[in-house]
Amino acid sequence: MAFQRRIFSGIQPSGNLHLGNYLGAVRNWVKLQNEFECIFCMVDMHAITVWQDPADLVRSTRELASAMIASGIDPERNVLFNQSQNPDHTTLAWIFNCVARMGWMNRMTQFKEKAGKDRENVSLGLFAYPALMAADILAYKATHVPVGEDQKQHLELARDIAQKFNHDYGGEFFPLTEPQIFGTATRVMSLRDGQKKMSKSDLSDQSRINLTDTSDAIADKIKRAKTDTQALPETTEGLEGRPEAQNLMGIYAALTDKPLDHVVADFAGKGFADFKRALTEAAVAHMGPITAEMRRLMADPGYVDDILRKGGERARALSAPVLREVYDTVGFLRP
Ligand code: TRP
């Protein structure tokens, strides 16, 4: 049986969003929505597998939603909501807890990394995390999931769960979901150190461009961004060993949607001053409207909450028939 193409994307709500989050993730989803029906889910239930301050969690959820909408994700054309609005995720996750095997879960490298030596003391939810992720996807019978490399193993587990469920209950209930790895995701590094990832936890605010920065702040941060003393190279190979040049030119290429080798050719032999002027112009032109709209949305949480509530309703309407089928299949009387 063929499943209709449907994209599900899960995103941990996190605050203090910056250019790295934007160019590495959000912008790719904006492109994706032009091609496919997309479900964008902010996974607040996954977030609490480790402690979250409640006020921070709700703020982060609204901030991420604001960033996505401000960046151009259309909440009418897509389904945009936070996970806890649809209890079908947890119902299905419980069933998947009973399908997945301890041995499978024990192999999850993210759990091993996050738990570290403290395995006895982490939450049960952290261990079951990948079964909830499988439920996120399969509650909508999503066929494609855009993920980074770090989530591939979890997606393979979702396929194993789908396969075992289909096998145990004798039918083609769930699709074997395909990962969609973005070729275009940009790794954005710190403006103070081209070898460190741009991060919300960096102590220096100069190291990152926040999605709430004004155009003046953006210009100032680029002006003070670290460089080296050489002129810009003639070819992309010349960027090797020059992490700051590589980072800034990569950001410029992403913001202007140009291939990196064209950007390098355009600035070959020029100094950083010329290039930074162009970068500032591109960053302000591209990010200015987004950051302004994001600040506007964050000042109006009622409006954002309303969008998420409507998204939650639409999500429930999409998962309801799947859950009915699952109830019948497993042998649960429907409510
Ligand atoms: N685990 C994913 C991450 O940390 C987030 C996530 C939760 C997710 N559920 C998902 C991603 C379903 C894709 C599909 O990035």
Side-chain angles (χ1 to χ4, degrees), residues 8-12 43 46 129 133 136-137 145-147 151 154:
F8 182 96
S9 188
I11 313 116
Q12 294 250 13
V43 293
H46 277 107
Y129 179 116
M133 179 162 160
D136 296 339
I137 298 163
V145 174
V147 285
Q151 293 299 313
H154 286 162

Side-chain angles (χ1 to χ4, degrees), residues 191 206 214-225 280:
L191 299 181
Q206 291 289 330
T214 61
S215 296
D216 286 348
I218 294 173
D220 182 60
K221 286 177 179 178
I222 292 174
K223 189 150 69 176
R224 298 212 246 160
T280 301

Side-chain angles (χ1 to χ4, degrees), residues 26-326:
V26 179
R27 202 180 59 140
N28 289 315
W29 304 325
V30 176
K31 290 183 179 167
L32 208 58
Q33 69 170 351
N34 297 326
E35 293 169 59
F36 307 108
E37 175 186 12
C38 296
I39 301 168
F40 295 111
C41 176
M42 295 178 289
V43 293
D44 47 10
M45 291 193 289
H46 277 107
I48 65 159
T49 56
V50 297
W51 169 250
Q52 301 290 327
D53 177 81
D56 285 345
L57 180 59
V58 76
R59 202 176 315 114
S60 298
T61 302
R62 287 180 179 137
E63 183 179 333
L64 179 59
S66 301
M68 291 175 73
I69 299 164
S71 301
I73 285 179
D74 179 352
E76 298 287 327
R77 201 140 46 92
N78 305 282
V79 178
L80 173 65
F81 73 114
N82 56 303
Q83 188 182 28
S84 56
Q85 303 232 15
N86 185 357
D88 284 350
H89 292 234
T90 34
T91 305
L92 191 56
W94 178 258
I95 294 165
F96 287 170
N97 281 343
C98 303
V99 172
R101 305 289 93 183
M102 288 294 285
W104 302 358
M105 307 302 273
N106 272 325
R107 282 194 283 277
M108 293 294 115
T109 53
Q110 183 172 300
F111 175 75
K112 286 189 234 176
E113 275 163 26
K114 283 199 180 171
K117 290 196 182 69
D118 204 21
R119 269 180 91 123
E120 295 296 309
N121 215 13
V122 294
S123 74
L124 182 55
L126 190 68
F127 188 66
Y129 179 116
L132 177 59
M133 179 162 160
D136 296 339
I137 298 163
L138 296 173
Y140 306 95
K141 297 194 177 181
T143 55
H144 293 76
V145 174
V147 285
E149 280 295 324
D150 65 321
Q151 293 299 313
K152 261 176 78 178
Q153 194 188 31
H154 286 162
L155 211 57
E156 278 157 21
L157 185 91
R159 291 166 65 95
D160 289 342
I161 289 176
Q163 204 154 29
K164 183 161 162 51
F165 184 99
N166 289 347
H167 176 267
D168 289 353
Y169 292 104
E172 286 290 300
F173 301 105
F174 289 118
L176 305 184
T177 307
E178 298 284 342
Q180 274 202 325
I181 308 283
F182 283 116
T184 56
T186 309
R187 233 173 107 80
V188 179
M189 313 305 279
S190 158
L191 299 181
R192 309 296 298 169
D193 176 353
Q195 319 224 42
K196 276 199 333 211
K197 257 177 95 169
M198 186 175 282
S199 160
K200 68 170 182 176
S201 48
D202 196 312
L203 289 175
S204 164
D205 193 56
Q206 291 289 330
S207 72
R208 64 185 159 259
I209 292 175
N210 302 303
L211 291 192
T212 46
D213 280 347
T214 61
S215 296
D216 286 348
I218 294 173
D220 182 60
K221 286 177 179 178
I222 292 174
K223 189 150 69 176
R224 298 212 246 160
K226 186 173 171 198
T227 59
D228 56 47
T229 52
Q230 288 166 267
L232 291 164
E234 312 276 331
T235 61
T236 48
E237 290 79 56
L239 289 172
E240 269 160 44
R242 300 181 64 185
E244 282 77 26
Q246 171 134 36
N247 184 37
L248 296 178
M249 296 196 101
I251 292 173
Y252 182 86
L255 286 171
T256 55
D257 239 333
K258 284 186 189 156
L260 184 62
D261 53 336
H262 291 200
V263 173
V264 172
D266 285 349
F267 291 94
K270 295 209 169 130
F272 272 100
D274 282 341
F275 173 70
K276 277 187 169 182
R277 253 191 302 280
L279 176 60
T280 301
E281 209 171 288
V284 168
H286 190 103
M287 301 311 296
I290 294 175
T291 58
E293 174 68 358
M294 188 170 157
R295 283 196 303 273
R296 193 186 70 77
L297 289 168
M298 282 170 63
D300 192 357
Y303 173 77
V304 174
D305 291 3
D306 228 38
I307 288 179
L308 296 182
R309 239 175 251 124
K310 286 198 187 107
E313 251 167 59
R314 286 170 61 199
R316 288 199 298 278
L318 290 174
S319 62
V322 178
L323 267 286
R324 278 199 290 276
E325 187 188 10
V326 168

